[in-house]
C-alpha cells in the first residue's frame, strides 16, 4: 500500500483500533494511546499491507495485543505502590490499619522460601524483567515464572485466610 492510500485509510483504521482497544477494556485515554501505537506499527509495515478486511483484522489484532500488554504492565505494579495507593483516607485509623497491613504482608513475604522471596522482590519491588532475573540468578526463564507464580499464589492464599478470620 502506498503512502497516499495509507493516509486515506488512516482515519478509519485509527477508529477501528480505538474500538478494539475499548472492547478489550481500555479507558478512553489508554485507548487513544493504543490507537496511536497501532497506527505507528501499521505505518512501519505499510509497504506490505493491502486494503480490505484483512487490514481491519490486522488493526484489531495489533490494538488488542497492545491493550493487553498495557494492562499487564499496570497489573505488575510494585507492591509498595499498590499499598500506598490503597489508602482509603488520611484519618489515623486508616493509617494504622494500613501500617498493620504492610507489616503483615512483609512478614508473610519473608516467610516465603528464599528463592521465591528473592524473585518476588526483584520482580515487584525492583521491577526487573523475567529474563533479567533469570540471568542474575542463573536460572531458566520458565523456572523464574514458575517460582514467581508460586510466591504470588502463596501470598494470595495467606490474604484469603486472613480475610476469613
Amino acid at each position: 500500500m502506498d503512502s497516499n492510500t495509507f493516509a486515506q485509510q488512516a482515519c478509519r483504521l485509527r477508529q477501528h483500533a480505538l474500538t478494539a482497544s475499548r472492547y478489550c477494556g481500555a479507558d478512553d485515554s489508554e485507548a487513544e494511546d493504543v490507537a496511536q501505537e497501532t497506527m505507528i506499527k501499521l505505518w512501519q509495515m505499510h509497504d506490505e499491507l493491502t486494503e480490505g478486511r484483512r487490514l481491519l483484522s490486522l488493526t484489531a489484532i495489533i490494538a488488542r495485543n497492545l491493550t493487553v500488554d498495557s494492562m499487564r504492565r499496570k497489573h505488575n505494579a510494585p507492591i509498595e505502590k499498590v499499598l500506598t495507593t490503597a489508602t482509603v483516607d488520611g484519618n489515623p485509623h486508616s493509617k494504622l490499619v494500613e501500617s498493620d497491613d504492610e507489616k503483615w504482608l512483609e512478614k508473610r513475604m519473608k516467610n516465603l522460601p528464599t528463592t521465591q522471596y528473592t524473585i518476588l522482590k526483584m520482580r515487584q519491588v525492583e521491577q526487573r524483567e523475567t529474563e533479567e532475573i533469570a540471568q542474575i540468578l542463573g536460572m531458566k526463564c520458565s523456572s523464574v515464572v514458575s517460582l514467581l507464580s508460586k510466591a504470588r499464589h502463596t501470598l494470595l492464599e495467606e490474604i484469603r485466610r486472613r480475610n476469613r478470620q
Side-chain angles (χ1 to χ4, degrees):
M1 174 183 297
D2 65 4
S3 57
N4 289 333
T5 307
F6 184 85
Q8 292 171 353
Q9 297 287 324
C11 187
R12 184 175 73 134
L13 295 174
R14 185 179 177 288
Q15 189 60 44
H16 197 67
L18 274 170
T19 303
S21 182
R22 286 184 185 127
Y23 183 78
C24 291
D27 60 23
D28 289 342
S29 170
E30 191 174 20
E32 289 287 340
D33 292 343
V34 167
Q36 188 174 18
E37 278 187 69
T38 301
M39 294 307 296
I40 290 170
K41 288 190 180 294
L42 289 172
W43 172 252
Q44 290 171 340
M45 57 198 304
H46 78 275
D47 289 334
E48 303 159 22
L49 300 175
T50 58
E51 292 182 58
R53 294 182 69 78
R54 287 188 151 184
L55 180 58
L56 290 176
S57 296
L58 177 63
T59 303
I61 290 169
I62 292 172
R64 185 195 71 213
N65 291 343
L66 289 171
T67 302
V68 169
D69 288 346
S70 174
M71 289 179 172
R72 282 184 183 149
R73 281 191 301 272
K74 267 195 220 175
H75 182 69
N76 286 332
I79 290 174
E80 287 89 17
K81 186 175 180 182
V82 171
L83 289 174
T84 57
T85 57
T87 305
V88 178
D89 54 34
N91 73 43
H93 176 72
S94 293
K95 288 182 182 180
L96 182 62
V97 169
E98 180 181 336
S99 175
D100 287 345
D101 288 346
E102 285 180 26
K103 288 176 186 173
W104 180 88
L105 182 59
E106 285 176 29
K107 184 178 178 184
R108 293 308 178 272
M109 284 177 62
K110 288 180 181 174
N111 287 340
L112 290 170
T114 307
T115 309
Q116 288 181 21
Y117 172 76
T118 303
I119 291 172
L120 182 67
K121 184 177 179 200
M122 291 174 83
R123 180 71 176 127
Q124 295 299 128
V125 177
E126 298 173 13
Q127 297 231 312
R128 296 181 186 264
E129 295 295 323
T130 305
E131 295 80 17
E132 184 181 7
I133 296 169
Q135 184 180 18
I136 290 169
L137 298 178
M139 303 172 79
K140 293 181 180 178
C141 284
S142 59
S143 297
V144 171
V145 169
S146 176
L147 289 167
L148 183 59
S149 177
K150 285 179 185 177
R152 287 176 174 162
H153 181 73
T154 301
L155 288 176
L156 180 60
E157 289 301 314
E158 290 284 334
I159 291 168
R160 286 181 178 154
R161 270 190 238 120
R162 182 178 190 216
N163 288 339
R164 280 187 226 135
Q165 294 174 349

